[in-house]
Amino acid sequence: MTDSLPVKADPVLDGELIDDTLPQPRRREPKRNRFAVWWLRSPRVPAWLKDRRQAGQAAKDLVAAALSSPVRLAGAVLRGLLAGARMWRRWVTVREYREAAEQAEKLADKFTDIRALTLFRWKVTGAVLVGTVVATAVAELLYGVLVPWTVGGVVALALAVLGRQKEGSPGRKAVLSGSRIATWTMDPHGMVEAFRGAKLIGKDETLRLVERATRVSGGWAVTIDLPATRKAADVIKNREALASALAVDEIQLVVDRVRGNGGHAGRVSLWVADQDPYSTPAARTPLLAVRRWDAWRPVPFGRDARDRRVDLPLVGTSLLVAAIPRQGKTFAARLAAAGLILDPHTRLYVADFKAGKDWDAAAQVAHRFVSGDEPEHVLELLGWLLELVREVQGRYRRMRELDDVTCPESKVTPAISRDPGLAMPITAIFVDEVQVPLEDRTPVKVDDRKLTAGEHVGELLIWLAKKGPAAGIVLVLATQRPDAQTIPSGLRAVLGSRFALRVMDWRDSNIVLGDQMNTRGYDSSRLLASHKGVGILRPDGDTLAGGELVALTVRTDYMPNEDWQTICRRGRELRQAARTLSGHAVGEPGAAIARNLPSAGNGELPNPLPAIVDYLGEDLGPGGREFVPTAELVEALGTDARTFAQEMSELGCRPTRYRLQSEDGGVQQVRGYLTVDVRKAIESSGCASGSRQWKSG
């Protein structure tokens, strides 16, 4: 063994293994942090000691109270002096004794006693006055001028305490006073009396202040808690009675229930405007200041009474706009369209049955556009709806084939809507004066059923409102006749967002906003005629004014015709740059959509021949394809195999088996139709226009 020199060893350290996966002991927070958390959460600490804004308002209130205290004291002393004078007069004239004698019908017998008692009380009054003056004078001689000032202060304080009682209190005689003050000063006592006057709380109940009154957007805002047995919904329902008790117009009063973590069913937020919030001119639409917009973002729509921005979600829902004439219905619908126009990846269908020029500027960006109120215009809309139904069916089939990363659910996503290869852009259809097509009586034949065009339009709109939103279809309908006969209940029930401008009565308002909405405090028939563009919005989604609101009053942004035309021109430029212009905007004639129309007895090809002609084109003529498989036609036309086979059988076209070469080079037998049989069916239908269409491709 080799000898070696000793080596100094490293120090030995004691330790233990620690498993990081085990839960570690909770660190104790510093006492200062724990105190801060307790301070912010404790209900015993006033709200003005927790929030800087509330503390500032409390300081303002204290300064205002200090500055106004001399005036308030003088008023209380004066009221106390008048009240004391009335009480002394009643006592010195022996009023109670006289009234008792009158009720007993013994006034004549008691007249001598009443006179003697009256004289005695006058003597007592004089003796008290003389004694008080003499005592005060002697005290002044002995102790100086401090005595009369002290006596005067005590008397003034007593009168001020007496003057704090309101007119009509026990011991007072109610008098007819002047008008109530129209400006609400947010006095706590006045607020409680207003709630009692509106019968929202009992005479023995009171309110609890959650956040003191603060100035917000030209008005006063306050948050209060109702008694345990009262509900915020009742306050909202009786908003008119509360506005009367507060001496303001109901349009100046906004009542909301506080929801979420900081609210409960008995917590109410009040905002009272100093003046009519809709008396000033409306603001111009902010869309003029943007170059482009994202259709997936809510569209700027207007402002509420507190001047908070209200944005309207459109993608994934539908919208109904209703009002009597000249209240801003078309302007509101165009505001919704403006945001979609500024998105070059959005496809628009616009049908103006007012037959005016309000929507003409949209023709330069619309995929489909029609303006008129004749039956042929209704049939053209019917063709659009059939086209959209097939489009929705095709989108659902294509989404089933996409992977879960691209399409996690059976819904169109922003990425899908902007992918040209998937061909599923956000598609919005705007129908102004929708009552015109819904009431059209032109007969049509649909699957052996005889319907009117209006009935079929209603069925298709209901179908699109139900299944279209998830597939990227946005439905916007506007009408000036919001009655039960015009708009079917089945259609109203599936429209997500509602906007009701001024209507004739509460029934029409409920038809637009929903049943019993007037009993919940939302009635658009109570809006003033001078408030153009002001309506009640029931949104299907969050708004910046509050996502938990059932409905809110909104004044729409102002967008005159020149601004509308500017936005439409900008939308066309965006689509030209993105190469997304299509349909009517690039000159496609409106008659090209006629292939989607059901048979109306007007010489058109019966279903499904128009769609086959459009799909095959030149391949249907001589020298084209000899055979077309059934599966290919069913997929291209977006229909089911059974219905397609029945329709072709009625036209005399029988399916046959045909040998086709497969992709692997083999031969397989498939069922389908010979193109010669399809041509014979077209010629036998007696429709020369259809024959010319497939001959010309």
Side-chain angles (χ1 to χ4, degrees):
M1 181 175 180
T2 306
D3 295 336
S4 61
L5 296 175
V7 179
K8 186 178 180 179
D10 295 332
V12 178
L13 303 177
D14 293 333
E16 61 179 349
L17 294 175
I18 298 177
D19 188 357
D20 292 340
T21 61
L22 295 178
Q24 301 298 319
R26 185 175 181 180
R27 296 180 59 186
R28 294 179 59 87
E29 296 181 357
K31 291 185 177 181
R32 186 177 62 180
N33 292 344
R34 282 186 290 164
F35 176 77
V37 172
W38 172 85
W39 182 271
L40 294 175
R41 295 181 178 178
S42 175
R44 297 180 180 85
V45 179
W48 62 272
L49 290 177
K50 301 177 183 179
D51 183 40
R52 181 175 298 178
R53 182 174 60 89
Q54 289 286 313
Q57 187 62 42
K60 293 179 182 178
D61 293 343
L62 181 61
V63 172
L67 294 177
S68 62
S69 58
V71 178
R72 295 172 61 189
L73 177 62
V77 171
L78 180 59
R79 290 194 301 270
L81 183 62
L82 295 176
R86 284 198 296 267
M87 294 170 61
W88 170 80
R89 183 182 178 187
R90 182 179 180 85
W91 175 79
V92 79
T93 57
V94 202
R95 183 68 58 82
E96 70 282 1
Y97 194 10
R98 184 186 298 272
E99 291 176 352
E102 289 177 351
Q103 293 178 0
E105 297 182 355
K106 295 181 179 180
L107 181 61
D109 299 338
K110 301 293 184 180
F111 181 76
T112 303
D113 297 337
I114 292 173
R115 182 176 179 81
L117 184 58
T118 302
L119 182 60
F120 172 75
R121 291 186 177 182
W122 272 106
K123 291 179 180 179
V124 171
T125 302
V128 170
L129 289 177
V130 172
T132 302
V133 172
V134 171
T136 304
V138 172
E140 182 182 2
L141 291 175
L142 296 176
Y143 301 103
V145 296
L146 183 62
V147 173
W149 283 104
T150 303
V151 173
V154 172
V155 173
L157 181 61
L159 292 176
V161 172
L162 180 63
R164 291 179 63 188
Q165 297 181 359
K166 298 180 65 177
E167 286 292 341
S169 298
R172 299 278 190 90
K173 182 178 180 181
V175 296
L176 184 64
S177 59
S179 62
R180 289 181 290 153
I181 300 176
T183 301
W184 193 33
T185 59
M186 297 300 254
D187 177 63
H189 181 74
M191 191 191 317
V192 173
E193 290 301 319
F195 271 78
R196 289 174 180 168
K199 294 182 172 49
L200 296 173
I201 59 175
K203 63 179 182 179
D204 297 328
E205 295 177 322
T206 187
L207 304 172
R208 291 180 178 271
L209 185 65
V210 179
E211 291 184 0
R212 65 173 53 246
T214 54
R215 293 289 299 174
V216 177
S217 302
W220 286 96
V222 64
T223 303
I224 57 176
D225 275 348
L226 300 172
T229 58
R230 306 291 178 170
K231 296 182 295 185
D234 295 331
V235 181
I236 298 174
K237 177 181 177 180
N238 295 280
R239 183 172 62 93
E240 184 178 0
L242 181 58
S244 175
L246 294 171
V248 297
D249 189 272
E250 56 265 31
I251 202 69
Q252 295 175 239
L253 175 62
V254 176
V255 184
D256 296 323
R257 173 186 166 185
V258 181
R259 305 292 298 270
N261 293 331
H264 54 79
R267 180 162 291 181
V268 179
S269 172
L270 300 177
W271 181 80
V272 182
D274 297 336
Q275 59 182 358
D276 184 354
Y278 304 116
S279 60
T280 57
R284 298 286 280 268
T285 174
L287 289 175
L288 283 175
V290 300
R291 176 61 184 168
R292 60 187 296 165
W293 194 258
D294 184 356
W296 289 85
R297 293 176 57 190
V299 176
F301 193 65
R303 293 186 175 273
D304 68 354
R306 297 174 61 171
D307 201 35
R308 295 177 297 183
R309 165 60 55 193
V310 176
D311 294 341
L312 182 64
L314 289 175
V315 176
T317 184
S318 50
L319 173 66
L320 173 64
V321 181
I324 59 177
R326 296 177 300 279
Q327 291 298 315
K329 166 182 54 65
T330 300
F331 275 63
R334 293 197 314 193
L335 281 170
L340 302 181
I341 287 174
L342 292 178
D343 187 339
H345 300 285
T346 299
R347 183 179 295 170
L348 298 175
Y349 288 64
V350 179
D352 178 17
F353 287 98
K354 186 187 292 186
K357 60 179 182 179
D358 294 331
W359 290 89
D360 284 356
Q364 57 189 310
V365 294
H367 180 69
R368 305 286 183 219
F369 181 84
V370 67
S371 178
D373 56 2
E374 300 297 329
E376 56 265 26
H377 302 126
V378 176
L379 292 177
E380 187 169 351
L381 171 65
L382 192 56
W384 297 0
L385 298 179
L386 290 168
E387 180 184 65
L388 288 172
V389 167
R390 296 191 182 101
E391 173 70 15
V392 170
Q393 291 173 335
R395 289 188 180 190
Y396 279 118
R397 285 196 301 269
R398 296 197 297 275
M399 282 190 288
R400 289 184 62 184
E401 299 172 356
L402 297 175
D403 58 81
D404 292 341
V405 176
T406 305
C407 183
E409 302 176 4
S410 294
K411 295 180 180 179
V412 171
T413 64
I416 292 176
S417 66
R418 298 187 183 97
D419 190 339
L422 297 178
M424 286 188 279
I426 295 300
T427 302
I429 176 167
F430 292 82
V431 184
D432 198 358
E433 305 296 352
V434 69
Q435 74 275 0
V436 174
L438 288 173
E439 294 177 344
D440 190 85
R441 316 316 293 173
T442 302
V444 296
K445 184 178 180 182
V446 181
D447 297 335
D448 294 332
R449 292 188 303 151
K450 292 184 178 179
L451 302 174
T452 64
E455 292 172 339
H456 198 29
V457 167
E459 291 178 350
L460 296 175
L461 288 176
I462 292 174
W463 192 94
L464 287 172
K466 288 180 179 178
K467 300 193 65 175
I473 306 299
V474 179
L475 190 63
V476 180
L477 309 178
T479 180
Q480 64 178 354
R481 291 180 57 185
D483 54 69
Q485 290 74 28
T486 300
I487 305 178
S489 59
L491 178 58
R492 298 197 307 270
V494 294
L495 295 174
S497 298
R498 326 281 184 85
F499 184 58
L501 295 110
R502 183 168 171 263
V503 295
M504 292 304 298
D505 59 23
W506 61 270
R507 299 176 186 84
D508 296 339
S509 178
N510 283 350
I511 287 174
V512 182
L513 298 176
D515 293 339
Q516 305 298 319
M517 285 295 288
N518 66 311
T519 64
R520 302 169 69 178
Y522 303 104
D523 184 359
S524 64
S525 66
R526 294 183 176 272
L527 297 173
L528 300 180
S530 58
H531 291 161
K532 304 294 184 182
V534 178
I536 298 177
L537 174 65
R538 190 176 184 182
D540 182 15
D542 295 342
T543 64
L544 292 184
E548 301 294 341
L549 297 176
V550 176
L552 68 161
T553 303
V554 178
R555 179 171 61 180
T556 57
D557 292 331
Y558 181 58
M559 186 174 64
N561 286 333
E562 54 267 24
D563 294 349
W564 166 246
Q565 294 170 1
T566 300
I567 288 176
C568 290
R569 286 195 299 268
R570 191 178 301 165
R572 182 177 179 85
E573 294 171 358
L574 291 171
R575 282 166 173 76
Q576 287 175 335
R579 299 182 179 180
T580 54
L581 277 179
S582 62
H584 185 278
V586 294
E588 178 181 322
I593 198 65
R595 61 180 179 272
N596 293 316
L597 294 175
S599 176
N602 55 4
E604 296 290 340
L605 288 174
N607 281 336
L609 293 180
I612 295 176
V613 170
D614 179 69
Y615 174 68
L616 294 177
E618 296 181 355
D619 289 341
L620 186 59
R625 296 174 62 177
E626 184 178 354
F627 175 83
V628 184
T630 301
E632 179 183 346
L633 290 175
V634 168
E635 182 179 0
L637 272 57
T639 184
D640 61 279
R642 179 176 298 180
T643 302
F644 180 76
Q646 182 179 355
E647 291 175 343
M648 294 296 287
S649 177
E650 293 174 354
L651 295 173
C653 294
R654 303 292 180 182
T656 184
R657 293 186 178 275
Y658 197 84
R659 294 180 178 272
L660 290 178
Q661 188 173 2
S662 61
E663 295 180 357
D664 57 2
V667 178
Q668 61 179 354
Q669 278 194 349
V670 296
R671 292 180 62 86
Y673 295 89
L674 297 173
T675 55
V676 64
D677 292 338
V678 177
R679 289 198 298 270
K680 289 180 180 179
I682 294 174
E683 294 170 356
S684 62
S685 67
C687 180
S689 61
S691 177
R692 288 195 299 269
Q693 186 176 355
W694 62 260
K695 287 180 180 179
S696 62

